[in-house]
Amino acid sequence: PPGATAGFDVALEAAEEAVLDQLVAWVVNDHHTYRVNVTAKVVPVELHLSTPSLYFRFPEHSSDSELTQAVTLSNHGNSPAVFKWTTESNTAYSLKPARGEVPAGGKQTISVTYTPRSRARTHTHATLHVVGGSLLVPAPRLSLDAEMEDVVLSLSEEKLEMGNISVGIKRSVGCLISNKGSSAAVFS
């Protein structure tokens, strides 16, 4: 109607980084042409790590079976950032949450847990994949390293003799484990 105000939305969706500077025109009543210059800089979604690396070492005489440290993801952008962590196979580390979303201008704490296992990698990295992240810059990587003390354990017996056991009867035989090393050992 005459004297009223109308409006319309201009939407932009880009599949890659770009700088937009384009004239947009529209026609009213098949007669009046209007123009507006639309400018935008399309940037990748980014997450920043609070530290580039974590180092794990059990305190002397510790009997803990795992260690946990934290790393913080920060999103300085104006869009939420969806992420997913990947690690190499057979690693001694787990990250929780392994996937999620950091709100625009927000932060997310990630718990990184080191659990020593036989033949598991102790020097490795975790890669942070961000949906809408830059294709021109490698994905951020968190370096993970741990100091694993050598442990020397021996059993008091080479063979545990259980003898004849009747069906349905429970019998237990004890065994001693001796730690001949200089570091604490945890077993399960």
Side-chain angles (χ1 to χ4, degrees), residues 13-186:
E13 182 177 354
E16 58 189 41
E17 298 174 52
V19 174
L20 175 71
D21 187 358
Q22 188 167 349
L23 192 63
V24 175
W26 69 95
V27 178
V28 176
N29 295 338
D30 291 327
H31 181 62
H32 304 286
T33 301
Y34 296 92
R35 292 176 182 80
V36 67
N37 196 40
V38 177
T39 61
K41 183 177 180 183
V42 180
V43 296
V45 178
E46 294 180 325
L47 287 175
H48 301 274
L49 301 172
S50 59
T51 182
S53 63
L54 293 176
Y55 179 76
F56 295 84
R57 184 174 191 274
F58 284 95
E60 193 172 334
H61 305 298
S62 171
S63 61
D64 293 334
S65 61
E66 61 185 29
L67 295 173
T68 299
Q69 292 186 40
V71 63
T72 302
L73 304 180
S74 298
N75 180 357
H76 302 298
N78 61 1
S79 298
V82 176
F83 69 89
K84 175 178 84 171
W85 288 101
T86 58
T87 57
E88 297 176 322
S89 61
N90 194 31
T91 180
Y93 304 93
S94 63
L95 292 93
K96 289 186 181 160
R99 59 182 62 224
E101 182 176 302
V102 181
K107 295 182 179 199
Q108 170 79 48
T109 300
I110 306 296
S111 294
V112 182
T113 301
Y114 166 61
T115 308
R117 293 190 330 254
S118 177
R119 296 184 195 94
R121 296 175 196 245
T122 57
H123 178 70
T124 186
H125 64 271
T127 304
L128 178 63
H129 302 277
V130 180
V131 175
S134 176
L135 301 175
L136 306 174
V137 178
R141 289 169 47 151
L142 177 64
S143 177
L144 302 168
D145 202 2
E147 184 177 320
M148 180 77 166
E149 300 287 336
D150 287 332
V151 176
V152 181
L153 299 177
S154 63
L155 295 175
S156 60
E157 306 292 328
E158 289 185 22
K159 182 178 178 181
L160 296 177
E161 182 59 50
M162 300 291 287
N164 292 332
I165 303 172
S166 299
V167 175
I169 301 298
K170 177 179 171 182
R171 181 178 290 166
S172 297
V173 174
C175 178
L176 298 177
I177 298 176
S178 179
N179 183 353
K180 310 239 185 221
S182 59
S183 301
V186 177

